[in-house]
């Protein structure tokens, strides 16, 4: 049907108005015919007749190509005009402009006209259509050029007719009144009417209706039944419309077929696909074959195909690929498997496509390509054309493995699919780990921290929001690995995230367990951490930093001070330096505002009756605090009286607690009168008098005065009575303090009196300037007295006073004393100041004399140990070089020029050799070796006790060392090894001791050499002897009687350095010495037994245990030699130094029980050593009626249950050092003991109030801690049996669950039934099934505390959960029975959805976390089984279970469902025979209405638009008949 235009509208159409001459010439063209003739352009008109000759003559060879392409042009034009519903489109015919009259072809061909041309008719006029510029234009028609087309010119693309641009348009952008001539349009039919009057689009109206129909209709409507008749008429019309308009045809949908095309045609097809103006129905006739996978995506990217059309192409290809599996005639299972496999391959191709785009970062147009690829892939994902699980997992894994440079792109991809990534726990856990892993990479790449600062900010922001929105994803097994990086995201102003992190930490600590071989710092208690800080503190450590570390570790001042006091006074630590370290820390804390009085008094009260505290040490600490007025004596005395702890005088000898003992030990100087009177009263009550104390003080002063004659002022006239010898170390603390203070005061007064002489007497001034304050001998005696008193604070003051002396020898004694007691003076804080004072005195008294050599050497020794004194040390070494003895000859003269043969005998050997060494200034290697061999041969033949030239030979060796140190060290090393291999060994220990004292070699190098010598298998026969000699060198001082005290001090200093810096060789040597106790050689065995019985050996072992954690090495060695009685005694002495527990007299089981009771944070390494030595070598099978190892461990676990002190941390660390075999036995005994201590259910259910809850709570804490700590030692079989026992316990819980009920809560809905393989007895329980799954103890110490209204019951479930989570790593083992795992998962799911857990938030949180952790170990098949049961059979809609197990509710998730009537037989029997599972309320309601609802999955790949070239009635992917669809037009 055509459309009329208004009279004023122009008609830009190219068609003529009519046909023939009347159509060609309109009324408006008449004036043109009357104009004078003009030349017509050759291309003004074209003759397109049917004459073949004329056509060929006019068009030339190219007309053949146009004729061949005529069909294509018609097809193209019909496609363009196919959108009109009521119009038929046709191709352009060559007769469209055929002239009706004769035409002069001479004008066309360009030939001249005849002579009468001027009188002939004018040429046929052209169509009066002009462009806006006035130029004649025939739109859509080919132009004829002056020259004919050559045969070689062929049009590449066929001509396609286009509508005129100036034509008016419809709403659909189609030209109006544009009908090119096709021969079948009404306008193209020539008729008389059309010839006379032209063609009109307006149809002739019917003239039959002359009046309105109201009179005829109104008669019927006036009737009373008229409306009913009208409504029935309308209803019948609608029924007929419904009957005839409903779509009933079968579905004719088929995806577009694929055809193999050439490369050129395929490229043309793809270009057409990229052109949005070409409809898809035209392209859907065929699609090119071979475009699939990544190639398809690359073509879409390179051709810039619109995303919607690219998705259309992907769907067409995918639909054909999937249908190909069904056409092969395979089974349905194979077809589904092939389809799944193809979708996974297609997803992999998409992943490779995205990866290639990301890898091309930096190329041209990369931004546009990346944007297009993300849009395309996102559309594919949203249309469900990808395997979502595979695609999302690929995104997470790519983020985890990507470099920092490509992380921003993956973060962008993450944000697109963020909601889907966090939908399930399984994927969210990997995403959390990936984000934290990238944050770790940035931290490790510190050099580029500024470059990655924006990326880090993005990661931190994303992790914060992630952790707060989905905290379940951060329940990680390897929590300790990622915790520091999560803490780095904390912003101090963000309190919400800080709270979230604290909660996450508490929840993860319930599962994140470290193996027992390396107990993590997070498992150490704060006191244990503080003890580790104190034990590892060196003398050069910063005391302020140590103080801050201790206060940060323990915030409570009471616990802080108590831990420090116990560390300073325990019997398991050695050394006086720790006491002064504790005193200094306490003084620092007191100055910062921490009160010391109450914590100290509380500590004294708590240690009453204990045997692991040294009373003298604690009194020493208190005395030092009283001196600095940091502790109040008055408050102490008042507390003592108020506590009533003073014993009467008849019991004072037997009962003398620590808090009372300080009453006798306290210093009295400077105390107020009322305090002294109060002390006197209390002392009198205890049976002591002050007169005895005063007499002891006086006697002690006299004894000291006699030791240093003419030094101290005489308090009483001398008498001839002999003064008895007093042991100063046995005096009370008060007497010691008074005596040391008196010594310091006397020295100070003497110094002041000599420093300020009478100014009127010049002779006195000269005498006082030359008189020393104290001589070297007097100083040595006073130093010895103060060391016996052990008052190093007063000794430091004495050294400070002596530093004003002018005596170089006396000044040399100051750094020597400080170096010998370096740790103690550093703890006091006096060592750096004394060093600076002595160096200053050296600079003032510098004279260049040889006597200054000793002072410089002692200062160098001290400077080497002090930190931050490198410049001073360098200056001192230069000073030492200036004091070296000058040679006699001034010119260069080697010693070899004056060397003559030297005899190795004679009394003057040393003098002669020294004289020969002094004749030159240098020495070559040969001469040095000859002198060295001469001296060493002499030493090997001398006796250290009889020959006085012994020490002189070592002095000569020291002289030789100054000539060539490198050569000398090699010679000493070879000499020591030769002596160790010699069959007639000289006194090696004496020689090595002298070598150390003279500085020829360090003790550390000697110990390292001897340890390496013992390791060499070639030296096996010397192994034990060398090890014993090494241990003796470390614990004893064996010097010649001719040696001086200075050398003794130097050797002791070398011992301290070696013990501190050579732990590994010393440990090897000690283990070898212990092995020597069980050797075959009698002499070696006796020597070893005597050596290990030495007190110094025990001290050496204790230092290795406390400072270097050598429990495993020493434990194995002691276990191998445990049959030796002396070895066992050494172990008992290390654990019980005071023999207060009598461990050596007990059996094995009793010893283990006693060790557990006496174990503390201070003797824990010693107890570990004892337990490892006892159990690792214990026989598995009983012998001689002794219990077997399993019996011993079983009794030990029972001790854990019955022990009064239940300390899980101590138990865990005790068993952590056992061997793998013993750890497995301990685990089994602890686990089964744990399950056996729970009371039986009938007893519990009868009256739970009769059960002592705490009696089961405390041992359960210990046993579960042991089980978790020893879980790593289990083999597969042992773990499987353990988990099966736990699963059996779950079954028992369900069997007895009908007994207990909750009276305060309404009954919950029916719980989830168990898996089908569970017996019927376990599936027929009451509604209160889950109430029995509660017990009496919180799941973890971090849980919320129990309230009085909730004393019970939450224990048994917590117990089972902890057992399961501690063995969770075995759940993923391929040999683990999957039915048991399914049973456990479904039981925990049953527990989780119970309403009873709402009353116990801590148990609810713990159950959720445990189920999360267990679900991480599920295999795909096991997970699918659990999901299928929960979703399809039980139909639970709990969002927590869907998140944890990773499934969706398909019925609710699919928007399209198939509803069909239920069969009559099933609907009738459903109420009586069908058992409806819990949680399927919707399904029950639909069945009651007589319908069955099933999900109707759509074929996503066949949801294609314009799939066929011709629109059919029912050609959609989903049949329209399923919806009762109707036709829009009948």
């Amino acid at each position: 049907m055509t459309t009329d235009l208004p009279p004023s509208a122009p008609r830009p159409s190219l068609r003529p108005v009519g046909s023939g001459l009347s159509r060609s010439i309109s009324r408006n063209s008449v004036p043109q015919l009357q104009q004078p003739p003009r030349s017509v352009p050759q291309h003004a008109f074209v003759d397109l007749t049917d004459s073949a000759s004329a056509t060929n003559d006019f068009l030339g060879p190219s007309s053949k190509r146009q004729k061949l392409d005529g069909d294509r042009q018609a097809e193209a034009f019909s496609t363009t005009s196919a959108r009109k519903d009521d119009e038929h489109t046709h191709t352009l015919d060559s007769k469209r402009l055929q002239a009706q009259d004769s035409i002069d072809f001479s004008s066309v061909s360009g030939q001249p006209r005849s002579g009468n041309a001027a009188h002939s008719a004018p040429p046929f006029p052209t169509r009066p259509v002009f462009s806006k510029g006035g130029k004649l234009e025939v739109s859509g028609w080919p132009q004829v050029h002056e020259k004919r087309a050559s045969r070689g010119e062929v049009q590449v693309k066929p001509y396609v007719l286009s509508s005129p641009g100036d034509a008016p348009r419809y709403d659909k952008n189609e030209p109006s009144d544009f009908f090119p001539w096709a021969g079948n349009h009404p306008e193209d039919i020539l008729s008389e009417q059309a010839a006379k009057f032209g063609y009109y689009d307006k149809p002739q109206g019917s003239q039959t209706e002359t009046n309105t129909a109201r009179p005829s209709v109104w008669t019927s409507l006036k009737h009373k039944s008229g409306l009913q008749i009208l409504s029935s008429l309308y209803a019948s019309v609608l029924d007929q419309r419904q009957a005839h308009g409903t779509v009933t045809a079968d579905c004719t949908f088929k995806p577009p077929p694929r055809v193999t095309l050439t490369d050129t045609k395929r490229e043309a097809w793809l270009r057409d696909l990229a052109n949005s103006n070409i409809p898809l129905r035209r392209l859907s006739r065929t699609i090119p074959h071979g475009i699939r996978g990544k190639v398809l995506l690359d073509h879409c990217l390179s051709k810039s195909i619109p995303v919607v059309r690219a998705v259309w192409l992907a769907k067409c290809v995918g639909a054909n690929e999937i249908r190909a599996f069904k056409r092969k005639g395979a089974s349905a299972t194979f077809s589904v498997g092939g389809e799944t496999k193809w979708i996974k391959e297609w997803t992999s191709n998409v992943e490779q496509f995205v990866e290639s785009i990301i890898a091309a970062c930096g190329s041209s147009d990369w931004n546009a390509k990346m944007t297009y690829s993300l849009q395309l892939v996102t559309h594919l994902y949203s249309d469900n054309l990808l395997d979502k699980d595979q695609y999302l997992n690929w995104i997470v894994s790519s983020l985890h493995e990507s470099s920092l440079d490509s992380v921003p792109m993956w973060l962008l991809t993450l944000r697109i699919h963020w909601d889907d990534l966090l939908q399930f726990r399984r994927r969210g856990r990997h995403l959390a780990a990936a984000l934290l892993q990238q944050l770790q990479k940035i931290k490790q790449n510190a050099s580029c921290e500024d470059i990655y600062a924006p990326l880090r900010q993005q990661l931190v922001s994303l992790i914060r929001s992630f952790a707060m929105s989905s905290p379940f994803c951060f329940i990680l097994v390897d929590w300790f690995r990622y915790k520091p990086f999560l803490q780095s995201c904390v912003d101090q102003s963000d309190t919400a995230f800080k709270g979230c992190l604290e909660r996450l930490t508490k929840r993860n600590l319930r599962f994140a367990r470290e193996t027992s071989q390396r107990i993590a710092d997070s498992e150490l208690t704060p006191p244990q951490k503080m003890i580790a800080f104190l034990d590892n503190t060196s003398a050069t450590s910063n005391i302020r930093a140590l103080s801050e570390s201790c206060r940060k570790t323990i915030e409570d001042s009471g616990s802080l001070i108590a831990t420090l006091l116990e560390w300073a006074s325990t019997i398991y630590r050695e050394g006086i330096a720790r006491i002064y370290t504790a005193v200094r820390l306490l003084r620092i804390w007191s100055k910062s505002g921490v009160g010391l009085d109450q914590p100290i008094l509380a500590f004294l009260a708590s240690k009453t009756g204990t045997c692991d505290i040294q009373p003298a040490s604690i009194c020493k600490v208190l005395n030092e605090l009283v001196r600095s007025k940091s502790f109040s004596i008055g408050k102490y005395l008042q507390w003592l009286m108020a506590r009533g702890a003073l014993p009467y005088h008849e019991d004072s000898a037997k009962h003398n607690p620590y808090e009372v003992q300080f009453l006798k030990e306290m210093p009295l100087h400077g105390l107020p009168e009322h305090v002294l009177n109060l002390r006197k009263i209390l002392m009198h009550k205890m049976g002591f008098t002050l007169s005895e104390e005063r007499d002891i003080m006086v006697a002690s002063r006299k004894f000291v005065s006699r030791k240093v004659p003419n030094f101290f002022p005489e308090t009483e006239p001398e008498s001839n009575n002999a003064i008895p010898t007093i042991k100063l170390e046995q005096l009370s603390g008060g007497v010691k303090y008074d005596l040391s203070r008196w010594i310091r005061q006397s020295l100070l007064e003497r110094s002041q009196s000599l420093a300020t002489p009478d100014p009127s007497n010049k002779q006195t001034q000269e005498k006082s300037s030359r008189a020393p304050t104290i001589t070297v001998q007097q100083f040595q005696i006073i130093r010895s007295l103060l060391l016996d008193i052990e008052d190093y604070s007063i000794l430091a003051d004495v050294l400070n006073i002596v530093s004003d002396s002018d005596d170089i020898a006396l000044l040399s004694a100051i750094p020597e004393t400080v170096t010998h007691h370096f740790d103690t003076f550093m703890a006091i804080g006096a060592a750096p100041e004394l060093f600076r004072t002595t160096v200053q005195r050296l600079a003032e008294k510098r004279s260049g004399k040889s006597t200054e050599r000793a002072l410089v050497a002692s200062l160098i020794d001290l400077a080497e140990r002090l930190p931050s004194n490198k410049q001073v040390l360098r200056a001192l070494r230069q000073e030492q070089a200036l004091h070296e003895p000058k040679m006699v000859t001034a010119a260069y003269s080697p010693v070899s020029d004056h060397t003559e043969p030297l005899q190795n005998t004679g009394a003057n050997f040393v003098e002669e050799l020294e004289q020969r060494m002094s004749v030159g200034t240098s020495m070559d290697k040969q001469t040095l070796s000859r002198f060295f061999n001469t001296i060493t041969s002499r030493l090997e033949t001398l006796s250290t006790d009889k020959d006085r030239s012994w020490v002189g030979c070592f002095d000569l060796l020291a002289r030789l060392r100054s000539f060539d140190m490198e050569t000398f060290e090699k010679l000493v090393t070879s000499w020591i090894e030769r002596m160790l291999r010699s069959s007639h060994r000289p006194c090696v220990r004496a020689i090595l001791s002298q070598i150390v004292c003279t500085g020829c070699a360090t003790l550390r190098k000697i110990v390292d050499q001897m340890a390496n010598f013992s390791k060499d298998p070639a030296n096996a026969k010397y192994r034990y002897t060398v090890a014993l000699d090494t241990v003796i060198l470390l614990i004893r001082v064996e010097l010649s009687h001719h040696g001086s005290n200075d050398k003794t001090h130097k050797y002791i200093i070398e011992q301290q350095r070696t013990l501190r810096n050579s732990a590994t060789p010393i440990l090897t040597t000690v283990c070898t010495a212990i092995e020597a106790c069980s050797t075959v050689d009698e002499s070696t065995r006796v020597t070893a037994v005597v050596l290990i019985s030495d007190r110094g050996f025990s001290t050496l072992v204790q230092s290795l245990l406390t400072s270097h954690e050598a429990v495993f090495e020493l434990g194995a060695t002691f276990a191998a030699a445990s049959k030796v009685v002396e070895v066992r005694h050494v172990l008992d002495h290390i654990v019980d130094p005071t023999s207060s527990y009598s461990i050596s007299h007990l059996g094995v089981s009793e010893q283990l029980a006693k060790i557990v009771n006496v174990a503390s944070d201070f003797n824990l390494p010693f107890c570990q050593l004892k337990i490892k030595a006892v159990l690792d070598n214990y026989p598995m099978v009983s012998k001689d009626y002794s219990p077997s190892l399993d019996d011993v461990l079983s009794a030990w676990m029972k001790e854990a249950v019955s022990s009064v002190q239940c300390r899980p941390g101590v138990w865990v660390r005790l068993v952590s050092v056992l061997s793998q075999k013993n750890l497995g036995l301990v685990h089994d005994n602890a686990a089964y003991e744990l399950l056996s201590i729970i009371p039986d259910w009938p007893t519990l259910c009868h009256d739970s109030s009769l059960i002592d809850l705490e009696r089961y709570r405390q041992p359960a804490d210990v046993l579960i801690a042991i089980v978790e700590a020893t879980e790593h030692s289990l083999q597969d079989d042992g773990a499987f049996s353990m988990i099966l026992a736990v699963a059996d316990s779950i079954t028992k819980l369900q069997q007895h669950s009908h007994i207990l009920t909750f009276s305060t809560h309404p009954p919950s809905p029916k719980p989830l039934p168990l898996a089908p393989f569970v017996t019927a007895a376990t599936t027929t329980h009451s509604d209160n099934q889950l109430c029995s799954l509660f017990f009496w103890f919180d799941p973890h110490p971090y849980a919320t505390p129990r309230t009085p209204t909730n004393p019970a019951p939450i224990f048994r479930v917590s117990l089972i959960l902890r057992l399961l989570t501690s063995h969770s790593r075995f759940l993923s083992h391929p040999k683990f029975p999957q039915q048991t795992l399914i049973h456990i998962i479904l039981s925990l799911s049953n527990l989780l959805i119970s309403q009873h857990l709402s009353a116990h938030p801590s148990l609810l949180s713990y159950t959720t976390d445990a189920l999360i952790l267990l679900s991480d170990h599920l295999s795909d098949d096991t997970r699918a089984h659990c999901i299928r049961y929960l979703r399809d059979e039980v139909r639970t809609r709990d969002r927590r279970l869907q998140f944890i197990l990773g499934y969706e509710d398909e019925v609710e998730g699919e928007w399209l469902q198939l509803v069909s009537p239920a069969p009559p037989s099933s609907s009738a029997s459903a109420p009586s025979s069908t058992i409806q599972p819990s949680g399927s309320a919707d399904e029950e309601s639909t069945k009651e209405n007589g319908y069955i609802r099933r999900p109707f999955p759509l074929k996503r790949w066949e949801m294609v638009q314009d799939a066929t070239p011709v629109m059919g009635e029912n050609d959609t992917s989903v049949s329209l008949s399923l919806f009762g669809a109707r036709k829009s037009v009948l």
Side-chain angles (χ1 to χ4, degrees), residues 1137-1152:
T1138 59
S1139 301
S1140 302
Y1141 306 112
S1142 302
I1143 294 180
S1144 57
H1145 302 290
L1146 301 176
V1148 176
S1149 301
E1150 290 79 7
Q1151 284 186 359
L1152 296 177

Side-chain angles (χ1 to χ4, degrees), residues 704-993:
V704 172
S705 299
R706 291 293 180 89
K707 282 283 188 178
V708 190
N710 301 325
F711 185 82
F712 296 100
E714 295 291 342
T715 56
E716 295 181 2
E718 296 184 3
S719 61
N720 295 327
N721 298 331
I723 298 177
T725 302
I726 298 177
K727 295 183 178 180
L728 300 179
E729 61 274 8
Q730 296 180 356
L731 297 176
S732 64
V735 176
K736 287 181 179 179
Y737 173 70
D738 180 78
L739 186 60
S740 60
R741 186 193 61 81
W742 175 69
I743 293 175
R744 181 190 60 183
Q745 189 65 25
S746 301
L747 178 61
L748 183 60
E749 292 176 355
R750 183 182 179 87
S751 176
Q752 290 176 354
S753 63
L754 294 177
T756 57
D758 186 5
S760 60
N761 191 346
K762 296 183 181 180
Q763 184 176 2
T764 305
Q765 294 180 5
E766 295 176 0
K767 183 177 180 180
S768 61
S769 62
R770 294 191 303 268
T773 303
I774 186 175
T775 62
V776 177
Q777 293 76 15
Q778 291 173 343
F779 170 76
Q780 292 176 351
I781 296 174
I782 291 176
R783 181 179 63 182
S784 177
L785 293 173
L786 292 176
L787 291 176
D788 292 338
I789 297 174
E790 294 185 343
D791 198 336
Y792 290 88
S793 298
I794 299 297
L795 180 58
D797 294 341
V798 170
L799 293 177
N800 193 21
I801 296 173
V802 172
S803 62
D804 292 335
S805 176
D806 296 336
D807 191 353
I808 298 298
L810 193 59
L811 292 175
S812 301
I814 296 175
E816 290 177 359
T817 305
V818 175
T819 305
H820 186 230
H821 305 281
F822 181 76
D823 294 342
T824 305
F825 283 103
M826 284 297 295
I828 296 173
E833 184 63 28
L834 290 173
F835 175 76
R836 286 192 294 270
T837 303
T838 310
V839 170
Q840 185 177 0
R841 294 294 296 165
L842 174 63
E844 294 174 355
K845 299 296 181 181
R846 182 179 179 184
S847 60
K849 297 181 181 180
S850 59
T851 55
E852 297 179 2
R853 293 178 56 189
L855 176 58
V856 175
S858 60
L859 286 174
I860 290 176
D861 292 339
L862 180 57
E864 289 177 348
R865 303 190 64 179
L866 285 172
S868 303
N869 283 300
K870 295 182 179 180
Q871 295 181 355
V872 179
L873 180 60
R874 190 181 303 109
L876 289 173
R877 293 189 185 280
Q878 295 176 359
E879 185 72 18
Q880 186 182 29
L882 295 176
H883 290 285
E884 291 294 334
K886 303 297 187 298
M887 299 301 175
V888 177
T889 57
Y892 175 80
S893 177
V895 177
S896 57
D897 295 345
H898 308 279
T899 303
E900 295 180 359
L902 180 66
Q903 300 296 329
N904 195 12
T905 58
N908 298 326
F909 171 78
V910 176
E911 290 80 2
E912 183 180 358
L913 187 59
E914 185 175 0
Q915 182 178 1
R916 295 192 179 188
M917 292 172 58
S918 303
V919 297
T921 58
S922 64
M923 187 179 299
D924 57 11
K925 294 183 178 180
Q926 295 180 355
T927 306
L928 180 63
S929 301
R930 186 166 62 252
F931 275 101
F932 182 84
N933 294 331
T934 302
I935 297 173
T936 54
S937 300
R938 176 77 173 179
L939 285 173
E940 293 175 4
T941 58
L942 291 178
S943 175
T944 58
D945 295 333
K946 297 180 181 180
D947 201 319
R948 297 184 61 87
S949 61
W950 171 269
V951 179
C953 292
F954 289 102
D955 294 336
L956 292 176
L957 288 177
R959 289 281 303 277
L960 279 178
R961 183 174 180 270
S962 61
F963 287 99
D964 190 349
M965 296 179 60
E966 183 178 357
T967 304
F968 183 82
E969 289 179 357
K970 294 180 180 179
L971 292 174
V972 170
T973 303
S974 60
W975 179 40
I976 294 175
E977 187 170 357
R978 186 175 67 252
M979 285 192 299
L980 297 178
R981 294 179 183 273
S982 176
S983 56
H984 303 285
R985 301 177 69 230
C987 188
V988 177
R989 295 194 300 271
I991 293 176
L992 295 179
S993 300

Side-chain angles (χ1 to χ4, degrees), residues 553-734:
T553 304
I554 303 179
E555 297 180 357
D556 181 55
S557 59
S559 301
L560 177 69
I561 295 173
T563 304
L564 181 62
L565 291 175
E566 189 171 0
W567 176 78
S569 58
T570 181
I571 60 176
Y572 301 105
R573 298 295 185 273
E574 296 288 340
I576 194 69
R578 61 192 174 99
I579 295 177
Y580 288 98
T581 301
V583 170
R584 195 174 177 189
L585 288 174
L586 289 173
R587 288 172 179 170
I588 293 174
W589 297 340
S590 177
K591 292 179 181 178
S592 63
V594 178
L596 302 182
D597 296 336
Q598 292 300 328
I600 291 175
L601 296 178
F603 171 77
L604 294 176
S606 64
K607 292 302 177 180
T608 301
T610 57
C611 304
D612 55 351
I613 295 296
Q614 295 175 345
S617 299
I618 193 65
C619 292
K620 180 71 174 176
V621 173
L622 297 180
N623 284 338
E624 293 295 332
L625 292 177
V626 172
R627 282 183 179 181
S628 60
K629 297 182 180 180
S630 301
F631 180 67
S632 175
I633 294 292
K635 291 183 180 180
Y636 164 73
L637 296 177
Q638 294 175 6
W639 171 81
L640 203 60
M641 293 177 62
R643 191 166 181 269
L646 291 174
Y648 291 100
H649 56 84
E650 59 269 14
D651 297 333
S652 61
K654 299 180 182 179
H655 181 71
N656 193 6
Y658 304 134
E659 66 269 25
V660 178
Q661 186 172 354
F662 179 62
L663 186 62
K664 300 185 300 180
E665 301 286 340
M666 68 174 58
L668 305 178
H669 179 75
L671 295 180
E673 187 66 24
H674 66 280
V675 175
L676 294 175
N677 292 334
L678 182 57
R679 178 181 179 272
K680 179 180 179 181
I681 295 172
L682 297 178
M683 290 286 290
H684 180 72
K685 182 179 179 180
M686 295 178 59
F688 297 100
T689 58
L690 297 181
S691 59
E692 296 179 1
E693 187 178 24
R694 192 180 302 108
D695 295 339
I696 295 175
M697 290 182 181
V698 174
S700 300
R701 291 187 180 186
K702 290 182 179 181
F703 175 75
V704 172
S705 299
R706 291 293 180 89
K707 282 283 188 178
V708 190
N710 301 325
F711 185 82
F712 296 100
E714 295 291 342
T715 56
E716 295 181 2
E718 296 184 3
S719 61
N720 295 327
N721 298 331
I723 298 177
T725 302
I726 298 177
K727 295 183 178 180
L728 300 179
E729 61 274 8
Q730 296 180 356
L731 297 176
S732 64

Side-chain angles (χ1 to χ4, degrees), residues 101-220:
D101 296 333
S102 60
I103 302 175
D104 188 3
F105 285 93
S106 61
S107 61
V108 178
S109 60
Q111 297 178 358
R113 295 177 180 269
S114 60
N116 57 354
H119 303 282
S120 63
F124 189 80
T126 60
R127 189 179 179 89
V129 177
F130 295 88
S131 63
K132 295 180 180 180
K135 184 178 179 180
L136 181 64
E137 178 179 337
V138 182
S139 176
W141 292 88
Q143 303 296 325
V144 180
H145 300 280
E146 182 177 0
K147 295 183 179 180
R148 301 189 177 201
S150 63
R151 292 182 177 271
E153 297 179 357
V154 180
Q155 294 183 359
V156 177
K157 186 176 180 181
Y159 173 75
V160 178
L161 180 65
S162 60
S163 61
D166 296 337
R169 302 279 176 172
Y170 289 115
D171 293 338
K172 296 182 179 180
N173 199 22
E174 296 179 356
S176 64
D177 199 20
F178 177 69
F179 303 103
W181 189 90
N184 55 359
H185 193 271
E187 186 180 359
D188 298 333
I189 300 174
L190 182 62
S191 63
E192 182 181 359
Q193 184 72 18
K196 291 182 179 180
F197 304 103
Y199 178 77
Y200 295 91
D201 290 338
K202 183 176 180 180
Q204 296 292 333
S206 178
Q207 301 298 327
T208 57
E209 293 187 6
T210 60
N211 202 354
T212 178
R214 182 177 179 275
S216 60
V217 176
W218 180 247
T219 304
S220 300

